[in-house]
Amino acid sequence: MKKAEVFEFFRRLAEDNPSPTTELESGNPYQLLVAVVLSAQATDASVNIACRPLFEKVRTPAQMVALGEDDLRDAIKTIGLFNTKSKNVIALSEALIRDHGGEVPRTREDLQKLPGVGRKTANVVLNTAFGEETFAVDTHVFRVGNRTGLAPGKTPEEVEAKLEKIVPQPFRRDAHHWLILHGRYTCKARTPECWRCPVIDLCRYEPKTPAPKARAKPGTSGGRAA
């Protein structure tokens, strides 16, 4: 996309949703970090369901370590990969206590040293908890970036680099949230809902998905209603 098109792309998404944010529920940066780690290959909704009761009693790394791996595993057993995730959450909690005074670090390098924390997770935490202008590329952002022509790339890292280069102010802080939500609810993986897309004329995807045919109202087909 050309520079003016990129600006218009985000201007429309911003107009449609002025204050986007993650759909993961949390009360502080530590809970957000845990929620994002748990959300890998799982839906935000499933993580929220498991974490609501968990986060009522666990707000700090020390409380998580005190809870223990067995009880944590039981609390998140409805989430995919819960065995591995339980180990990682306890291990990262111990690392936060040991290396960071129980606080979530504010650099990507330190975050990615924590067990179970990759670049995408680090970017989400830096952006959502600390207001950094980072671009977390999940499956939705990767799809939207490539499908629309906004930020094509063969890997999440390539898409992130393109976004870092092209996204203008004042949209940089919230850009990845707009893209995630757009991919989740409009530019869907199997069937993008192009007929209700606010950036349809800017998008390079072809052919555009037509609107589903309206269902016939009762009594309007097959002759007169009795």
Side-chain angles (χ1 to χ4, degrees), residues 61-136:
Q63 290 173 336
M64 186 68 77
V65 172
L67 179 70
E69 186 178 328
D70 289 343
D71 285 347
L72 175 58
R73 186 187 303 113
D74 186 61
I76 65 169
K77 62 186 177 183
T78 56
I79 301 174
L81 306 176
F82 62 91
N83 282 315
T84 299
K85 291 176 181 179
S86 298
K87 294 180 184 296
N88 283 336
V89 168
I90 295 298
L92 74 82
S93 299
E94 291 172 339
L96 290 176
I97 295 168
R98 181 183 65 246
D99 302 328
H100 301 285
E103 299 294 324
V104 176
R106 300 182 66 145
T107 69
R108 185 184 289 113
E109 181 182 10
D110 285 338
L111 283 165
Q112 287 190 248
K113 290 178 181 178
L114 298 171
V117 178
R119 187 177 180 88
K120 184 195 75 173
T121 295
N123 281 339
V124 172
V125 172
L126 289 171
N127 177 272
T128 304
F130 304 126
E132 300 288 337
E133 294 176 355
T134 58
F135 302 91

Side-chain angles (χ1 to χ4, degrees), residues 108 112 119-120 123 133-138 141-142 151-153 155-167 172:
R108 185 184 289 113
Q112 287 190 248
R119 187 177 180 88
K120 184 195 75 173
N123 281 339
E133 294 176 355
T134 58
F135 302 91
V137 180
D138 68 353
V141 177
F142 185 79
T155 66
E157 290 76 17
E158 287 184 12
V159 172
E160 181 184 344
K162 287 279 183 65
L163 291 172
E164 181 70 46
K165 182 177 179 180
I166 67 169
V167 178
R172 293 180 66 83

Side-chain angles (χ1 to χ4, degrees), residues 139-192:
T139 56
H140 298 299
V141 177
F142 185 79
R143 179 175 67 254
V144 172
N146 278 284
R147 180 185 276 167
T148 64
L150 174 70
K154 295 181 180 179
T155 66
E157 290 76 17
E158 287 184 12
V159 172
E160 181 184 344
K162 287 279 183 65
L163 291 172
E164 181 70 46
K165 182 177 179 180
I166 67 169
V167 178
Q169 295 291 6
F171 308 116
R172 293 180 66 83
R173 178 174 174 178
D174 293 324
H176 93 267
H177 289 303
W178 280 312
L179 295 175
I180 289 171
L181 295 172
H182 187 63
R184 183 173 291 164
Y185 296 113
T186 303
C187 195
K188 299 177 180 179
R190 291 188 178 182
T191 307

